[in-house]
Amino acid sequence: MTLSDIRDYIETLTQGTVYVGPIPDKPEKMVGVYNSKHQHDYKVAIGGPQLESYGTKYVTLLVHWNKSQRETEKAGKALFEAVRATRNATVNNETIKFILPVYDLQDIGVDDSGIYEMVIELAVIFEKKAMGGVCLNEGCIPTKTLLYSAKLLDNAKGAAKYGIAVPDGISFNLEKIIDRKDKVVKKLTGGVKQTVKSYGAELIEKEAVITGEDNGLIQILAGGEKYEVTYLLVCTGSDTVIPPIKGLSEIDYWTSKEALEMAALPKSLAIIGGGVIGMEFASFFNSMGVKVSVIEMMPEILGAMDKETSAMLRTEYQKRGINFQLNSKVIEVSPAGVTIEKAGKLSLIEADKVLVSVGRKANLNQVGLDKLKVEMVRNGVKVDEHMLTSHPKVYACGDITGYSMLAHTAIRESEVAINHILGVEDRMNYHCVPGVVYTNPELAGVGKTEEELKASGTSYHVQKLPMAYSGRFVAENETGNGLCKLILDEEDRIIGCHLLGNPASEIIVVAGIAVQYGYTVEEFQKTVFPHPTVGEIYHETLFA
């Protein structure tokens, strides 16, 4: 390995002019990358004492180590190997980290995982549909936009309880509600695309397929063009599960995607599935005046979430007119509605429209992971705590793992994956990932549930209080109460929290931090909450 070899290799990578050699009269140890024009078209960092550098087309690579040619060559060789591997190099017990604008990291499909700012400079991103994936285009963002309109409508209906009169009555314009939803989605997807481009990443809006591996490089085909990559981050998201229900294919049913694109409200709606997505749509359509029925196979709505708060939420919506059919099996659908079996008896749930919401499945079709013999588990890609698959250069994040199908989980998973590629110590922890149901009132939870702990035989105890113990909550809620429930282990450490009441989605993160860092009740009690806030309910519950 010679300095000329290093120079040639770096020039090939950067397509620029490179100088490699000792720097006279520089006593400090230094490895740096500079551009004579110092323009910020992209950043290039090679770690150690000198962390920031610049580069455009012409990059000058300066290598110096202890002023000696021998040590300089040694450092250069380590740097060369680091560039080849896109990892860290160690020279004289010092760590050299680097990032260069090369195609050493790819991302096939972008749901909500995204890529780190530093590493996105290395990225080519393939996306066959729209930036932002399911969450931004047909999931989290459009549904929350609709739900906010519904919440304002609910508030207007209850305005008299707060001393507010609405002189001309309450009404809404569905077309404008849908138009606003589309406008929000367009604004945010455009923002994501612009952000990616601003970091210097190349965006290829075509379907990408893994075709194999050759000489240690992963082969990708997109739009007829071939790409060779060293590392691969796969986050192709998920698709709606369509169950094999008799008659379903013969009617014009909705999934969440079609429900978000509706042009008119049905008079009645049967929702098959009482999970998070089903309940959020039930909340929206109930607020809009639609007669809603929710059909659920399990004894309670919201799947694995806390049963006590789930039952309280269901009771609240029963009062508002939603018909819940629990422990019910769907036998058949028809233009007349949904036929269910409950306690051995058949009955028809009449509905003008049927919404299927029984879950999602990892999108593994036509990705090409089989070409790399990537191992699967359950209904997704098997990964370790670093999000690394069974292939040493392939990572998977988001719904494709089939594990925690939440946008914020995917974001954290991608950070872990990128850190591992860069040699930064990091591990995925699913124990402190919050789950939220954006109904009105909201429901949220993090950590262990009572049901989970009972099933495992783990000892625990509970401290809980109605949300009415928060002055701010009482001041802002005339239409209902809620609950704050903390679950503690034998050492009084907080291992779970479950909330019902607005704004649960905003304050659950406080409990998530307590769970993540293993706070005891005594430690958490010392946290000062501003007054008056709904978040003070934690402080009250800790002293309950």
Side-chain angles (χ1 to χ4, degrees):
M1 182 67 61
T2 66
L3 292 177
S4 296
D5 294 328
I6 300 168
R7 181 195 62 222
D8 293 341
Y9 187 73
I10 300 297
E11 283 186 342
T12 300
L13 290 179
T14 61
Q15 296 183 350
T17 302
V18 175
Y19 164 79
V20 179
I23 305 168
D25 304 317
K26 293 284 184 180
E28 69 274 11
K29 298 177 180 179
M30 182 276 289
V31 178
V33 176
Y34 294 88
N35 173 265
S36 57
K37 295 181 181 179
H38 290 265
Q39 294 178 351
H40 289 265
D41 289 355
Y42 55 75
K43 285 186 178 179
V44 180
I46 295 187
Q50 184 69 38
L51 292 178
E52 183 159 88
S53 48
Y54 315 93
T56 54
K57 283 187 176 180
Y58 300 96
V59 176
T60 302
L61 178 64
L62 305 178
V63 179
H64 174 68
W65 209 267
N66 291 344
K67 292 201 256 186
S68 121
Q69 176 74 21
R70 179 175 170 277
E71 292 298 329
T72 298
E73 273 201 57
K74 188 176 180 181
K77 180 177 179 180
L79 177 61
F80 177 83
E81 295 299 333
V83 171
R84 170 184 285 170
T86 320
R87 301 300 283 269
N88 297 342
T90 301
V91 180
N92 291 355
N93 297 320
E94 296 276 350
T95 299
I96 302 172
K97 295 184 181 180
F98 75 95
I99 294 183
L100 289 172
V102 295
Y103 291 168
D104 268 348
L105 178 67
Q106 311 285 319
D107 188 312
I108 291 186
V110 179
D111 52 9
D112 301 290
S113 297
I115 302 181
Y116 235 49
E117 177 177 347
M118 284 176 62
V119 180
I120 208 165
E121 294 160 349
L122 305 173
V124 172
I125 300 179
F126 300 96
E127 176 54 65
K128 70 175 182 178
K129 291 183 180 179
M131 291 293 287
V134 169
C135 175
L136 191 47
N137 292 279
E138 54 189 69
C140 317
I141 297 300
T143 55
K144 277 53 184 181
T145 306
L146 294 183
L147 285 166
Y148 188 71
S149 292
K151 184 178 179 180
L152 291 178
L153 180 61
D154 290 341
N155 290 344
K157 291 176 181 177
K161 293 183 179 181
Y162 300 87
I164 305 299
V166 182
D168 298 325
I170 310 298
S171 64
F172 63 88
N173 185 315
L174 180 65
E175 183 179 357
K176 289 185 177 179
I177 290 173
I178 299 299
D179 284 347
R180 179 176 179 271
K181 179 263 298 180
D182 294 338
K183 185 179 184 182
V184 168
V185 170
K186 183 178 180 181
K187 179 178 181 179
L188 293 177
T189 53
V192 170
K193 184 180 289 189
Q194 186 59 40
T195 299
V196 166
K197 289 183 176 180
S198 73
Y199 288 146
E202 183 176 356
L203 175 60
I204 299 174
E205 298 184 79
K206 296 177 182 177
E207 183 175 10
V209 179
I210 302 164
T211 58
E213 187 173 14
D214 185 37
N215 293 324
L217 295 175
I218 298 166
Q219 313 292 309
I220 295 174
L221 183 65
E225 296 289 330
K226 294 181 180 180
Y227 298 82
E228 291 185 333
V229 305
T230 304
Y231 291 96
L232 185 64
L233 176 59
V234 184
C235 32
T236 50
S238 62
D239 294 316
T240 300
V241 172
I242 305 299
I245 298 173
K246 182 180 178 182
L248 187 61
S249 61
E250 299 171 17
I251 68 167
D252 184 23
Y253 66 90
W254 280 349
T255 66
S256 58
K257 184 177 185 296
E258 290 78 28
L260 289 167
E261 297 170 350
M262 66 184 150
L265 291 171
K267 291 183 179 179
S268 57
L269 174 68
I271 300 176
I272 300 176
V276 174
I277 298 172
M279 280 305 302
E280 289 182 352
F281 275 109
S283 176
F284 173 76
F285 285 106
N286 175 255
S287 296
M288 295 292 111
V290 176
K291 182 181 178 182
V292 177
S293 297
V294 175
I295 303 165
E296 172 56 52
M297 286 187 64
M298 303 301 290
E300 190 53 87
I301 60 171
L302 297 179
M305 299 196 78
D306 174 71
K307 296 306 176 210
E308 182 176 12
T309 49
S310 297
M312 291 174 66
L313 181 68
R314 174 174 51 81
T315 299
E316 176 62 30
Y317 274 101
Q318 282 176 326
K319 294 176 183 177
R320 301 183 193 181
I322 292 183
N323 171 31
F324 288 93
Q325 296 292 335
L326 306 179
N327 292 306
S328 300
K329 180 181 179 182
V330 175
I331 301 300
E332 184 180 4
V333 297
S334 67
V338 180
T339 300
I340 65 170
E341 180 183 354
K342 184 176 183 179
K345 296 181 180 179
L346 297 180
S347 60
L348 176 67
I349 307 299
E350 296 181 353
D352 293 332
K353 183 64 71 173
V354 174
L355 170 60
V356 177
S357 179
V358 298
R360 301 187 65 83
K361 61 181 179 179
N363 183 7
L364 300 169
N365 295 331
Q366 300 179 334
V367 177
L369 288 170
D370 56 309
K371 302 292 184 181
L372 302 177
K373 296 181 172 56
V374 171
E375 186 178 351
M376 303 291 160
V377 63
R378 297 183 305 273
N379 298 313
V381 178
K382 182 179 181 180
V383 293
D384 64 14
E385 59 192 347
H386 305 296
M387 308 312 300
L388 183 64
T389 69
S390 58
H391 189 289
K393 297 292 181 69
V394 178
Y395 295 76
C397 298
D399 290 1
I400 194 172
T401 67
Y403 188 67
S404 177
M405 292 186 170
L406 299 169
H408 45 281
T409 301
I411 291 169
R412 176 66 187 129
E413 287 174 337
S414 69
E415 293 170 352
V416 171
I418 297 306
N419 280 337
H420 192 251
I421 290 172
L422 293 175
V424 177
E425 177 57 30
D426 201 358
R427 299 168 192 274
M428 187 62 199
N429 177 8
Y430 293 101
H431 299 308
C432 53
V433 176
V436 179
V437 188
Y438 293 87
T439 46
N440 186 25
E442 295 175 345
L443 184 149
V446 65
K448 301 294 186 181
T449 64
E450 287 195 76
E451 293 73 30
E452 184 181 356
L453 294 168
K454 287 176 182 176
S456 64
T458 304
S459 297
Y460 71 95
H461 59 285
V462 172
Q463 290 181 205
K464 59 184 178 181
L465 281 177
M467 292 292 278
Y469 275 73
S470 161
R472 176 75 176 273
F473 182 86
V474 173
E476 297 181 353
N477 288 272
E478 281 286 335
T479 57
N481 203 339
L483 184 70
C484 176
K485 177 160 112 177
L486 296 174
I487 300 179
L488 315 171
D489 66 11
E490 291 179 319
E491 297 178 348
D492 250 10
R493 293 193 180 278
I494 298 161
I495 57 174
C497 175
H498 305 281
L499 302 172
L500 177 66
N502 296 334
S505 63
E506 298 291 346
I507 65 176
I508 190 63
V509 67
V510 176
I513 293 170
V515 172
Q516 180 176 358
Y517 292 103
Y519 288 176
T520 63
V521 168
E522 183 179 0
E523 289 169 336
F524 204 6
Q525 284 173 339
K526 295 174 182 177
T527 302
V528 178
F529 290 88
H531 176 79
T533 59
V534 179
E536 285 179 290
I537 191 63
Y538 288 124
H539 195 254
E540 298 296 327
T541 305
L542 288 165
F543 282 96

